Amino acid sequence: VSHGIMTYSDKEAFAQAVVAGDVRSAARLMRLADDREPLARDLLSLLFPHTGRAHIVGITGNPGAGKSSLVDNLITSWRGRGLSVGVVAVDPSSPFSGGAVLGDRIRMMRHATDPGVFIRSLATRGALGGLSRSAGDIATVMDAMGLDRVLIETVGVGQDEVDVVRMAHTTVVVMVPGLGDEIQILKAGILEIADIFAVNKADKPGADRLAMELQSVQHLGTDQRHIPIVRTVATAQEGIEELVDAIETHAGLLRSSGELQERDARRLTQAVFQLVHEAVDADLTELFDRLNKENAIIDELLSRRSAPATVAQRLLELINKI
Amino acid sequence: VSHGIMTYSDKEAFAQAVVAGDVRSAARLMRLADDREPLARDLLSLLFPHTGRAHIVGITGNPGAGKSSLVDNLITSWRGRGLSVGVVAVDPSSPFSGGAVLGDRIRMMRHATDPGVFIRSLATRGALGGLSRSAGDIATVMDAMGLDRVLIETVGVGQDEVDVVRMAHTTVVVMVPGLGDEIQILKAGILEIADIFAVNKADKPGADRLAMELQSVQHLGTDQRHIPIVRTVATAQEGIEELVDAIETHAGLLRSSGELQERDARRLTQAVFQLVHEAVDADLTELFDRLNKENAIIDELLSRRSAPATVAQRLLELINKI
């Protein structure tokens, strides 16, 4: 079916195929969503009633923290527990998203033939824009497909990555001893989003000190939550079951305390705001171009005759007249 | 003057004091801008006719790349050339923004008493939000103060940081040998924004290979620009004059080719869009809350009765009715 001429029942059939777990349809929808095709929005709306089952887990940490090996092992552990797993990789250094060293790439390939595993990497498209929106759409598709756990892997610096992680129910922050910048990272807002700390490469010197620092730094947070610290050696499969246990325990706590609903509400509200922003942006670009043609706005700015706030005010008045 | 009762002529006097280089007024305006006080917007508009003189230089790169030592040395070099310098530090690992190890902090203190240097760090406020907007406002104030060069120092990963760097006329990407993730970083969109590469710690093994890789990777870019590569050892003050020369040469090329105006237009357009977004966001939050009170929108989302796109559509209709 060419998507130019899709009828409502075509769309329903497409959505049903995704819900039934059809991998080709799911992959096609993810591509459409990535390309911001209007069709994707309709399909995602049709899928929406079938979502809300998957537990979404964010994994973040510096490049070199070993997130990919950890993700690889988490997949294996969950599969061993009879759960299906989706992975959204938005880390440019991750083998899942194509930035692999050869060994990593070979290791992850063992999941490629497992029908209970669905891995999707997100191209950063050079300009890094819109990552969190695309990651959210892909997580929605995976949720609708019936995958039990959805992992979103990202790099833990920058607003965009923090936004990605905000879409998760449970966020694991991966740290390693010896990088020396642990505390800086905590300062940069990561403490607020961490539900679990994984101290990876825990066989390396400095792991004890790092774990102790993470313990003591918890008291600096605004909300005084207890954040479990799990030691792992991903390359030796050590601590993986403990990490999965910590994630599952956190999921249970969220459910029983009602916090899961709160986080879900926050995620969905964020999705709504993103869609509104996108629509406003499209209008805005058009309005700005028109205003510039009629009034040479850019010249006014360049010659410092009109301040940005003045131009913004004029655009706002135009928006409200649409 | 309490800013609750500032008249237009009070505001003009305030703006004039900033233009005259009064440090206390400038610092106060930066604080107001950071706090999103409406007064700041008026004052920035009054300053705007006095801007457009400073050359704005973005410095980005991984934590540990030695950006701070480099910034410290760039200040010294420009001061030696009779130019005044402003620094906006948005890197949480930078001594300028407070993430210092003691040695760094002491080193930078030597500029603290120099009236030709103005350093302002940006708090990340835990949530990392709005960095690029605040950095832009601060650069505007520094420009109006008459500072000749304004450096914006940031960490080179994430959309927010890339946005910050987009506000610069000339962008220096700092890389160091031995981190092993150079090429990943280039993939993540940094190549598109680099005007100059600084290979710092150039006395370390691997510097030759890194420089060669940077040379060969240039051909991967979409625009086939020539990006100069300057080797520096910031801790030994090596290569600093060459780096400043490269920046000044780039500034000259921008001016003579007309590209400076183009970049300025892009910066100012971005500032306009940010102001519109901010205003729309304020409306949006209010509308969403109202819609939720009247129609329990969040419940509709949580129970999967209304999809985010449906709710977004309703909000857009409300916005257009304001």
Side-chain angles (χ1 to χ4, degrees):
Chain A
V1 187
S2 150
H3 45 85
I5 52 157
M6 248 192 191
T7 64
Y8 184 77
S9 69
D10 288 338
K11 290 178 193 171
E12 278 217 306
F14 193 149
Q16 276 309 325
V18 174
V19 171
D22 180 58
V23 169
R24 276 192 53 197
S25 301
R28 189 174 154 210
L29 174 50
M30 289 172 185
R31 259 193 319 274
L32 290 169
D34 230 8
D35 294 342
R36 309 319 294 155
E37 293 278 351
L39 174 60
R41 189 171 306 179
D42 296 347
L43 290 169
L44 287 167
S45 290
L46 285 169
L47 287 184
F48 189 66
H50 303 278
T51 63
R53 257 192 10 93
H55 193 75
I56 301 177
V57 180
I59 302 242
T60 189
N62 269 344
K67 294 186 300 297
S68 306
S69 302
L70 220 43
V71 167
D72 181 67
N73 281 298
L74 289 174
I75 295 172
T76 309
S77 170
W78 269 314
R79 294 299 292 136
R81 297 176 188 213
L83 296 168
S84 55
V85 186
V87 177
V88 189
V90 283
D91 175 357
S93 71
S94 162
F96 299 104
S97 62
V101 287
L102 195 61
D104 280 334
R105 186 171 283 286
I106 288 164
R107 194 166 48 230
M108 67 149 281
M109 284 302 284
R110 66 191 166 112
H111 298 299
T113 54
D114 179 348
V117 178
F118 194 107
I119 295 170
R120 170 81 190 190
S121 62
L122 259 176
T124 52
R125 296 172 183 236
L128 282 172
L131 276 188
S132 64
R133 190 210 50 215
S134 292
D137 287 346
I138 290 171
T140 298
V141 177
M142 289 180 171
D143 188 352
M145 288 172 80
L147 293 164
D148 299 306
R149 302 289 176 266
V150 174
L151 276 169
I152 305 182
E153 182 198 0
T154 181
V155 184
V157 196
Q159 184 57 44
D160 217 40
E161 284 67 29
V162 171
D163 283 344
V164 168
V165 165
R166 283 227 179 86
M167 285 180 310
H169 296 120
T170 298
T171 296
V172 180
V173 174
V174 185
M175 308 198 92
V176 286
L179 281 188
D181 52 358
E182 296 84 9
I183 303 310
Q184 267 75 27
I185 285 162
L186 295 179
K187 272 189 197 151
I190 294 294
L191 185 60
E192 327 274 315
I193 59 168
D195 297 307
I196 296 164
F197 284 120
V199 174
N200 196 27
K201 309 189 182 177
D203 52 344
K204 276 204 174 175
D208 289 330
R209 221 200 59 197
L210 175 56
M212 254 169 51
E213 279 176 357
L214 290 173
Q215 195 66 54
S216 63
V217 94
Q218 299 208 2
H219 307 291
L220 303 176
T222 43
D223 47 1
Q224 302 291 329
R225 292 173 302 137
H226 166 70
I227 308 173
I229 300 164
V230 183
R231 288 153 164 265
T232 55
V233 185
T235 49
Q237 288 89 47
E238 281 171 28
I240 304 302
E241 294 307 316
E242 289 79 357
L243 181 55
V244 171
D245 287 344
I247 294 171
E248 296 296 328
T249 302
H250 185 255
L253 283 172
L254 287 181
R255 230 171 280 124
S256 61
S257 67
E259 166 91 11
L260 188 69
Q261 262 211 339
E262 262 173 60
R263 293 196 179 196
D264 218 28
R266 206 171 57 197
R267 286 179 58 237
L268 295 169
T269 305
Q270 190 182 326
V272 169
F273 275 51
Q274 273 186 346
L275 287 164
V276 174
H277 281 159
E278 222 170 290
V280 169
D281 264 358
D283 282 351
L284 197 53
T285 307
E286 204 186 298
L287 282 174
F288 187 86
D289 287 348
R290 206 214 300 162
L291 200 59
N292 191 39
K293 240 174 236 161
E294 291 167 6
N295 300 88
I297 280 296
I298 291 179
D299 284 345
E300 279 189 33
L301 288 165
L302 280 174
S303 62
R304 267 65 186 173
R305 274 174 290 142
S306 295
T310 315
V311 176
Q313 197 48 48
R314 280 156 76 179
L315 283 170
L316 282 165
E317 281 158 20
L318 286 174
I319 286 179
N320 292 340
K321 272 192 211 139
I322 293 178
Chain B
V1 186
S2 149
H3 46 82
I5 51 158
M6 247 192 192
T7 64
Y8 183 76
S9 69
D10 288 337
K11 289 177 193 169
E12 278 217 307
F14 193 148
Q16 277 309 324
V18 174
V19 171
D22 179 58
V23 169
R24 276 192 52 199
S25 302
R28 190 173 154 213
L29 174 49
M30 289 172 184
R31 260 194 318 275
L32 289 169
D34 231 8
D35 294 341
R36 310 317 296 154
E37 293 279 352
L39 174 60
R41 190 171 305 179
D42 295 348
L43 290 169
L44 286 167
S45 289
L46 286 169
L47 286 185
F48 188 66
H50 303 279
T51 62
R53 258 192 11 93
H55 193 74
I56 302 177
V57 180
I59 302 243
T60 189
N62 269 344
K67 292 186 301 298
S68 307
S69 302
L70 221 42
V71 168
D72 181 67
N73 281 298
L74 288 175
I75 296 172
T76 309
S77 170
W78 269 314
R79 295 298 294 134
R81 297 177 187 213
L83 296 167
S84 56
V85 186
V87 177
V88 189
V90 283
D91 174 357
S93 71
S94 162
F96 299 104
S97 62
V101 288
L102 196 60
D104 281 334
R105 187 170 282 287
I106 288 164
R107 195 165 47 228
M108 66 151 280
M109 284 301 284
R110 65 191 166 111
H111 298 299
T113 54
D114 178 347
V117 178
F118 195 106
I119 295 170
R120 169 82 190 190
S121 62
L122 260 175
T124 53
R125 298 174 182 233
L128 281 173
L131 276 188
S132 65
R133 191 209 48 214
S134 293
D137 287 347
I138 289 171
T140 298
V141 176
M142 289 180 171
D143 188 353
M145 289 172 78
L147 293 165
D148 299 306
R149 300 289 176 267
V150 174
L151 276 168
I152 305 182
E153 184 199 358
T154 181
V155 184
V157 197
Q159 183 58 44
D160 216 40
E161 284 68 29
V162 171
D163 282 344
V164 168
V165 165
R166 283 227 179 88
M167 285 179 311
H169 296 119
T170 299
T171 296
V172 179
V173 174
V174 185
M175 308 200 91
V176 286
L179 281 186
D181 52 358
E182 296 85 9
I183 303 313
Q184 267 76 27
I185 285 162
L186 294 180
K187 272 190 200 150
I190 294 294
L191 185 59
E192 326 274 314
I193 60 168
D195 297 307
I196 296 165
F197 285 121
V199 174
N200 196 26
K201 309 189 184 178
D203 52 344
K204 277 202 173 177
D208 289 330
R209 220 199 61 198
L210 174 56
M212 254 169 49
E213 278 176 358
L214 290 174
Q215 195 66 53
S216 63
V217 93
Q218 299 208 3
H219 307 293
L220 302 176
T222 42
D223 47 1
Q224 302 290 331
R225 292 173 302 137
H226 167 69
I227 308 174
I229 300 165
V230 183
R231 287 153 165 266
T232 55
V233 185
T235 50
Q237 288 89 46
E238 281 171 28
I240 304 302
E241 294 307 318
E242 289 79 357
L243 181 55
V244 170
D245 287 343
I247 295 170
E248 296 296 327
T249 301
H250 185 255
L253 282 173
L254 287 180
R255 228 170 283 125
S256 61
S257 66
E259 167 93 11
L260 188 70
Q261 264 212 339
E262 262 173 60
R263 293 197 179 194
D264 218 28
R266 208 171 55 197
R267 287 177 57 237
L268 295 169
T269 306
Q270 191 183 324
V272 170
F273 275 51
Q274 273 186 347
L275 286 164
V276 174
H277 281 159
E278 224 171 288
V280 169
D281 264 359
D283 283 351
L284 197 54
T285 308
E286 205 187 297
L287 283 173
F288 187 85
D289 288 347
R290 206 215 299 163
L291 199 61
N292 191 40
K293 240 175 235 160
E294 291 167 5
N295 301 89
I297 280 296
I298 291 179
D299 284 345
E300 279 188 34
L301 287 165
L302 279 174
S303 62
R304 267 64 185 173
R305 273 174 291 141
S306 294
T310 315
V311 176
Q313 196 50 48
R314 280 156 77 180
L315 283 170
L316 281 165
E317 281 158 19
L318 286 174
I319 286 180
N320 292 339
K321 272 192 212 138
I322 294 177

